[in-house]
Amino acid sequence: MPPQVERIIGRLRQGGFEAYAVGGCVRDTLLGRQPGDWDITTSARPEEVKGLFTRTVDTGIQHGTVTILMDHVGYEVTTYRIDGEYEDGRHPKQVAFTSELVEDLKRRDFTINAMAYSHETGIVDAFHGMEDLEKGVIRCVGDPLERFGEDALRILRAIRFSAQLNFTIEGRTYGAITQIAPNMARVSKERIQVELTKLLCSDHPEKICKVYETGISVYISPAFHALPWEGFRVLPGLSAEKYVRWGAFLRLAGPEAAVQVLKDLKLDNDTVNRVRTLAVWAGKEIPAEAAGVRRAMSGMSPLVWDALLDLNGCGEAIRRLTAEIRERGDCLDLKHLAVSGQDLIEAGIKPGKEMGELLQRLLELVLECPQKNERGTLLKEAGIQGIKL
Ligand code: ATP
Ligand code: MG
């Protein structure tokens, strides 16, 4: 447990309250994985939590959450709560605070996510989460139909955790997933996207096929459902960047379908643009000669090019050419052309479409033959004579 978490729990206890590390951090620590963040659950009410610490942020007071800043890191401290009835399968309409830890653990989604820990008590495991961790099983806390009925996102979380941890989904839990799948239509696309991104960036991205097999995909979006699921293959050794994993998943769909899926799921523009480029070039033969490689590289950022080499399984020859092009610093875009738009204006060419085409023509020349990236040569090519060089 990080010392900051010990300090927070210690101070809450000194104040006369109960406090525990809870959820994902307990699960990950038991598995020997690095927890993403440390969440704390306490019997103290938000106002009482705020009274014990100097630097706090009201992140979700109405849900009982106060963030405590310690050494520039935020730790979420949430009051024990019972989630009220769920509105439209999304948000609890109201939450009620409780003084019982086990009531708070009961509202959590899976047994492996429903354990708490403090030095004083050791692990509090009311729902046999340890046993399921050992067996490698994702199992709902309580009745799976009821729990998925409260919040359909949990069915996607089940698949996401099974991909991150390489766990199987317990039989009744799996059955309930297929039954509650239609409720996914009412879950917000942003929440769905977060889970799918985590799934694709996990050690087992191939488990995304479960989203299709369980009958969920059709309730996510038409473009998503229409993806070529049968042909999906994992590519080994890909970096776990968001655009690389989405690109690998969508590369066989074609650029238009890929972009539609990402827009449906409200992914950010950077990811959409990178994946569009990857889908355009996926499977295209890139000739193993310098000019062809430069032409291809000129159409995308260095990061996207590197991802494309991996996605297309490009061999040594193209990788070596890439390294040489970068070492020499061959010009690959208008920014690095030896002649700028300003130069052409000074030479009397009017800015506009024609000038753009001229610059493009000069760039193509330089991609073909990098030695020509020289002011005099390019101006002569542009048909401009008698310029002071
Ligand atoms: P990670 O942060 O690695 O993605 P996590 O388990 O910490 O995994 P969070 O989404 O951060 O997941 O949620 C923290 C905890 O809150 C979970 O471990 C679980 O106990 C509970 N929880 C989160 N989302 C839900 C949900 N939709 N329904 C029920 N409990 C949930
Ligand atoms: Mg977390």
Side-chain angles (χ1 to χ4, degrees):
M1 211 190 252
Q4 293 86 349
V5 177
E6 284 176 344
R7 288 222 300 278
I8 293 170
I9 292 180
R11 194 165 309 167
L12 285 160
R13 290 193 166 250
Q14 277 164 18
F17 303 104
E18 296 176 11
Y20 299 84
V22 71
C25 60
V26 177
R27 174 199 70 219
D28 288 343
T29 303
L30 288 169
L31 286 170
R33 297 164 66 97
Q34 182 70 39
D37 42 28
W38 286 80
D39 294 326
I40 294 153
T41 186
T42 181
S43 57
R45 302 299 162 97
E47 292 309 322
E48 294 170 325
V49 174
K50 286 168 70 174
L52 289 171
F53 298 89
T54 37
R55 307 185 52 155
T56 67
V57 183
D58 294 3
T59 18
I61 288 278
Q62 68 285 21
H63 292 108
T65 304
V66 174
T67 298
I68 294 173
L69 289 171
M70 214 166 257
D71 303 333
H72 310 289
V73 178
Y75 297 88
E76 287 197 349
V77 176
T78 304
T79 306
Y80 295 165
R81 63 179 219 218
I82 302 169
D83 292 346
E85 247 193 60
Y86 274 70
E87 196 172 28
D88 65 19
R90 280 205 219 170
H91 308 294
K93 242 188 234 160
Q94 75 276 356
V95 303
F97 297 138
T98 164
S99 56
E100 298 297 322
L101 170 64
V102 61
E103 290 299 317
D104 180 88
L105 298 178
K106 208 192 267 176
R107 72 169 169 93
R108 294 172 184 271
D109 45 10
F110 306 111
T111 59
I112 60 168
N113 288 346
M115 290 182 277
Y117 174 85
S118 72
H119 290 326
E120 289 76 8
T121 60
I123 291 177
V124 179
D125 179 17
F127 304 99
H128 309 290
M130 285 278 251
E131 198 182 317
D132 285 338
L133 268 190
E134 273 158 29
K135 287 199 239 165
V137 164
I138 310 288
R139 182 197 312 269
C140 283
V141 173
D143 178 52
L145 273 180
E146 209 173 286
R147 302 313 308 284
F148 290 147
E150 291 166 353
D151 178 9
L153 185 75
R154 290 171 185 159
I155 72 186
L156 213 45
R157 285 173 59 87
I159 299 174
R160 184 260 281 198
F161 286 118
S162 86
Q164 285 182 322
L165 307 174
N166 198 20
F167 278 22
T168 56
I169 299 172
E170 175 272 331
R172 278 207 322 143
T173 299
Y174 192 94
I177 289 179
T178 59
Q179 245 176 293
I180 299 291
N183 290 12
M184 192 58 74
R186 289 183 287 152
V187 176
S188 84
K189 298 295 187 259
E190 289 86 348
R191 291 181 82 206
I192 292 176
Q193 187 259 110
V194 168
E195 294 302 325
L196 290 177
T197 297
K198 286 185 177 178
L199 196 169
L200 286 172
C201 292
S202 73
D203 283 349
H204 292 275
E206 74 279 4
K207 296 211 180 187
I208 189 131
C209 289
K210 291 255 174 287
V211 176
Y212 178 73
E213 289 161 19
T214 50
I216 302 169
S217 54
V218 67
Y219 300 105
I220 290 184
S221 96
F224 183 76
H225 184 61
L227 288 171
W229 293 94
E230 315 292 342
F232 179 69
R233 263 187 317 115
V234 246
L235 302 169
L238 291 183
S239 77
E241 306 275 354
K242 183 161 140 181
Y243 69 95
V244 175
R245 295 302 181 93
W246 275 105
F249 173 55
L250 296 172
R251 73 190 191 286
L252 298 176
E256 268 157 50
V259 166
Q260 188 61 53
V261 167
L262 296 177
K263 290 200 165 157
D264 285 351
L265 290 172
K266 312 236 190 290
L267 271 110
D268 55 286
N269 286 338
D270 263 359
T271 304
V272 174
N273 291 329
R274 289 171 182 183
V275 172
R276 178 194 286 114
T277 305
L278 289 173
V280 165
W281 285 87
K284 256 195 204 157
E285 192 69 51
I286 298 162
E289 44 89 20
V293 171
R294 275 192 297 269
R295 269 194 295 272
M297 286 174 84
S298 77
M300 62 195 84
S301 72
L303 278 179
V304 175
W305 175 255
D306 287 336
L308 181 67
L309 294 183
D310 290 341
L311 291 192
N312 278 6
C314 289
E316 256 320 292
I318 290 188
R319 289 178 192 275
R320 198 166 339 104
L321 285 166
T322 301
E324 287 166 8
I325 288 165
R326 285 178 178 165
E327 257 161 55
R328 280 195 306 267
D330 289 357
C331 164
L332 297 173
D333 51 37
L334 290 176
K335 259 208 316 278
H336 295 90
L337 205 60
V339 159
S340 67
Q342 192 54 42
D343 292 330
L344 297 183
I345 290 170
E346 280 166 21
I349 295 178
K350 291 207 177 62
K353 186 158 161 269
E354 253 168 69
M355 188 171 102
E357 284 168 2
L358 178 55
L359 282 168
Q360 196 56 42
R361 193 162 63 72
L362 294 177
L363 175 62
E364 273 157 33
L365 203 68
V366 164
L367 290 171
E368 193 64 42
C369 188
Q371 305 88 284
K372 293 196 175 160
N373 195 24
E374 199 263 321
R375 254 178 76 98
T377 313
L378 291 183
L379 288 174
K380 214 178 287 164
E381 281 293 341
I384 300 164
Q385 308 288 344
I387 288 281
K388 244 203 312 168
L389 297 176

